[in-house]
Amino acid sequence: MRWTGAFSLTGPTAMETLSGVFLDKAFIGACGVDVLRGATIIEPDEAAVFRAMVRQAKQVIVVADSSKIAMVSPALICSVTDIDILVTDSGIAPEAVAGFGANGVQVLVV
């Protein structure tokens, strides 16, 4: 674990473990989701683990509240074309929904 309270596994052990499993669905929490830049997060080590999850998953589901839409954090998780479903709240702008849809992302508003 990188730091107390994060509950996020990073490093070589996490990467090795992920290389040996296949995921039906990967649920990814992001700090920012942008139509042009994709899903991003603050910590590069966590982003590397998330990228490994994306590579191993049949379906990628990004979860981010509407305040994170059109935001970009420093570390790339995946491009928008790697995202199958974006789960967010009703605060998402209609233009953003259209932009994600144009890139093949299903937007699920809950």
Side-chain angles (χ1 to χ4, degrees), residues 4-28:
T4 305
F7 302 106
S8 179
L9 295 176
T10 61
T13 303
M15 298 299 284
E16 177 63 27
T17 299
L18 284 170
S19 71
V21 297
F22 297 104
L23 310 170
D24 288 328
K25 297 175 193 270
F27 289 85
I28 307 288

Side-chain angles (χ1 to χ4, degrees), residues 10 15-16 18 30 44 49 54 67-68 108-109:
T10 61
M15 298 299 284
E16 177 63 27
L18 284 170
V49 171
V54 167
S67 72
K68 310 250 173 75
L108 180 60
V109 176

Side-chain angles (χ1 to χ4, degrees), residues 5 8 15 37 56 65 73 79 85 95 102-103 109:
S8 179
M15 298 299 284
R37 298 287 181 108
Q56 298 299 96
D65 68 69
S73 289
S79 70
I85 300 172
E95 306 82 41
N103 283 284
V109 176

Side-chain angles (χ1 to χ4, degrees), residues 9-103:
L9 295 176
T10 61
T13 303
M15 298 299 284
E16 177 63 27
T17 299
L18 284 170
S19 71
V21 297
F22 297 104
L23 310 170
D24 288 328
K25 297 175 193 270
F27 289 85
I28 307 288
C31 295
V33 188
D34 182 74
V35 171
L36 297 176
R37 298 287 181 108
T40 57
I41 196 165
I42 295 169
E43 291 294 326
D45 291 343
E46 285 183 281
V49 171
F50 286 155
R51 283 192 300 273
M53 292 172 69
V54 167
R55 283 192 300 273
Q56 298 299 96
K58 289 181 185 175
Q59 186 177 47
V60 175
I61 302 162
V62 173
V63 181
D65 68 69
S66 61
S67 72
K68 310 250 173 75
I69 306 303
M71 301 297 289
V72 178
S73 289
L76 177 68
I77 296 170
C78 65
S79 70
V80 71
T81 57
D82 291 325
I83 302 169
D84 296 300
I85 300 172
L86 170 61
V87 179
T88 191
D89 61 74
S90 61
I92 188 171
E95 306 82 41
V97 173
F100 286 112
N103 283 284

